[in-house]
């Protein structure tokens, strides 16, 4: 992180504190970029923040482990948290404001409104085994869009289904935010950056490379002219299946806008996967015809 900006970053923990800052920016006619996160920030998040810094007058990062997108038995309590580290990184990157609310601030007593989208997008891929996940994602993102009055919001392509769903919600509800997708950031050996990577022991960390290897295999087949998406998916599954520590949740080809099944490779075909390495569920993907739109 050498060479980054060093400045004071305001931390708001209540909606009132947040509104005070946002109102000042709005009154000054400044544009606002929002980077929603669940904290434990890594280089992937940093790339989103840098993009926002380049394109907006003000940058707000939310750090909130959202309980409504975790089902019972998922890793809510174990999800890694280190707010002081997050705060220092945001300061280095020139973030103007961190919104760090408690669940009680975001979901006060009596809260009873959620965003439920059509199952054609939320019930596929990750939604098959996490049926309430995207309702929680959409609800918190919608609230963050409203609270921040953001002009632009930045999401990583690693969560490609989330990106497509947020874009649709934004269009359907006329929220007026420009949703920006940013490319996947990877470790030197190819593993996609993820806060959950810390769960992996050394053996599992090595085994996890099977995801990025499958991505590379799929990309190579597309580059060679293969247009049968099902054949590419089969080859990716076969490769992942050779790793003893890997258990496939899904590997599928879909359209990157509406997430409908894709059987022929065209520009915008999303090859997405979720794979358990030991007990840790990891995701990865690639889109034909370029990275995030």
């Amino acid at each position: 992180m050498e060479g980054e900006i060093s400045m004071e970053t305001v931390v708001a923990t209540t909606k009132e504190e947040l509104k005070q800052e946002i109102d000042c920016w709005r009154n000054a006619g400044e544009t606002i970029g929002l980077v929603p996160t669940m904290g434990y920030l890594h280089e992937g998040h940093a790339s989103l923040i840098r993009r926002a810094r380049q394109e907006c007058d003000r940058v707000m990062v939310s750090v909130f482990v959202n309980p409504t997108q975790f089902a019972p038995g998922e890793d809510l309590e174990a999800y890694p948290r280190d707010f002081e580290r997050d705060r220092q990184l945001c300061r280095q990157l020139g973030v103007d404001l961190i919104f760090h609310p408690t669940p009680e601030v975001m979901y006060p007593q009596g809260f009873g409104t959620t965003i439920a989208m059509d199952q054609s997008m939320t019930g596929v891929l990750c939604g098959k085994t996490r049926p309430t996940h995207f309702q929680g994602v959409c609800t918190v993102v919608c609230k963050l869009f409203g609270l921040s009055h953001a002009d632009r919001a930045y999401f990583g392509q690693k969560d490609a289904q989330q990106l497509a769903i947020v874009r649709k919600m934004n269009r359907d509800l006329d929220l007026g935010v420009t949703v920006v997708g940013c490319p996947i950031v990877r470790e030197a050996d190819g593993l996609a950056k993820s806060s959950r990577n810390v769960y992996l022991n050394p053996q599992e960390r090595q085994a996890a490379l099977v995801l990025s290897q499958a991505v590379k295999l799929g990309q190579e087949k597309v580059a060679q002219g293969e247009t049968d998406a099902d054949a590419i998916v089969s080859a990716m599954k076969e490769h992942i299946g050779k790793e003893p520590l890997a258990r496939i949740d899904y590997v599928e080809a879909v359209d990157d806008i509406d997430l409908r099944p894709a059987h022929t490779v065209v520009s915008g075909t999303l090859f997405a996967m979720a794979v358990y390495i030991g007990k840790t569920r990891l995701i990865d993907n690639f889109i034909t015809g370029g990275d995030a739109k």
Side-chain angles (χ1 to χ4, degrees):
M1 300 300 172
E2 293 180 5
E4 301 291 356
I5 302 167
S6 181
M7 59 173 287
E8 286 306 314
T9 299
V10 174
V11 177
T13 58
T14 68
K15 296 173 188 175
E16 293 74 22
E17 292 169 343
L18 176 62
K19 184 177 185 301
Q20 187 174 14
E21 293 293 325
I22 298 295
D23 284 351
C24 288
W25 299 347
R26 276 288 172 221
N27 290 338
E30 294 176 312
T31 57
I32 300 171
L34 168 68
V35 181
T37 84
M38 293 207 299
Y40 212 72
L41 305 182
H42 51 67
E43 185 59 32
H45 298 109
S47 72
L48 306 183
I49 294 169
R50 291 192 188 99
R51 178 84 175 267
R53 185 74 280 166
Q54 292 169 359
E55 298 178 351
C56 304
D57 297 318
R58 296 287 185 173
V59 177
M60 168 184 158
V61 173
S62 62
V63 174
F64 177 61
V65 181
N66 177 35
T68 66
Q69 66 193 66
F70 290 81
E74 292 187 342
D75 59 346
L76 172 61
E77 296 307 320
Y79 195 87
R81 297 164 171 85
D82 189 342
F83 180 71
E84 184 55 32
R85 176 175 164 276
D86 293 343
R87 189 183 70 81
Q88 291 296 337
L89 177 58
C90 285
R91 180 173 178 271
Q92 291 167 14
L93 293 170
V95 171
D96 296 285
L97 171 69
I98 301 171
F99 183 43
H100 184 45
T102 62
E104 290 74 25
V105 166
M106 291 300 283
Y107 304 110
Q109 185 173 3
F111 184 88
T113 302
T114 57
I115 305 293
M117 284 179 56
D118 188 277
Q119 285 286 302
S120 66
M121 291 186 72
T122 62
V124 300
L125 304 179
C126 289
K128 287 182 181 178
T129 53
R130 306 185 74 192
T132 62
H133 174 70
F134 289 110
Q135 179 173 298
V137 169
C138 288
T139 301
V140 76
V141 170
C142 188
K143 286 174 67 68
L144 289 170
F145 280 8
L147 288 165
S148 66
H149 294 273
D151 297 282
R152 301 169 72 85
Y154 297 82
F155 296 84
Q157 185 196 305
K158 183 174 73 70
D159 297 290
Q161 183 176 13
Q162 172 180 274
L163 177 58
I165 287 170
V166 167
R167 280 180 166 148
K168 180 170 175 54
M169 176 188 72
N170 186 56
R171 291 192 303 269
D172 287 355
L173 298 182
D174 299 312
L175 299 179
V177 179
T178 298
V179 177
V180 182
C182 299
I184 296 172
V185 176
R186 299 183 180 277
E187 303 283 0
D189 59 7
L191 182 66
K193 296 266 189 179
S194 170
S195 300
R196 288 186 168 95
N197 290 349
V198 298
Y199 297 157
L200 303 170
N201 65 35
Q203 186 181 9
E204 291 169 340
R205 173 64 179 76
Q206 184 64 32
L209 296 180
V210 75
L211 280 85
S212 56
Q213 290 166 0
V215 164
K216 185 177 180 181
L217 174 63
Q219 290 172 323
E220 289 173 349
K221 288 192 173 295
V222 171
Q224 291 163 4
E226 178 62 76
T227 60
D228 185 340
D230 296 321
I232 295 172
V233 166
S234 294
M236 293 169 68
K237 284 183 175 179
E238 182 180 357
H239 180 79
I240 296 167
K242 294 175 183 176
E243 170 52 59
L245 294 181
R247 177 170 60 88
I248 294 173
D249 183 351
Y250 67 82
V251 181
E252 294 185 34
V254 298
D255 181 88
D256 74 325
I257 294 176
D258 61 18
L259 305 181
R260 296 187 184 281
H263 301 288
T264 301
V265 177
V266 296
S267 180
T269 300
L270 166 65
F271 289 86
M273 71 185 79
V275 178
Y276 286 92
I277 303 296
K279 295 182 179 180
T280 304
R281 186 177 183 276
L282 302 177
I283 58 175
D284 206 340
N285 67 77
F286 73 96
I287 298 174
T288 58
D291 282 329
K293 298 174 182 175

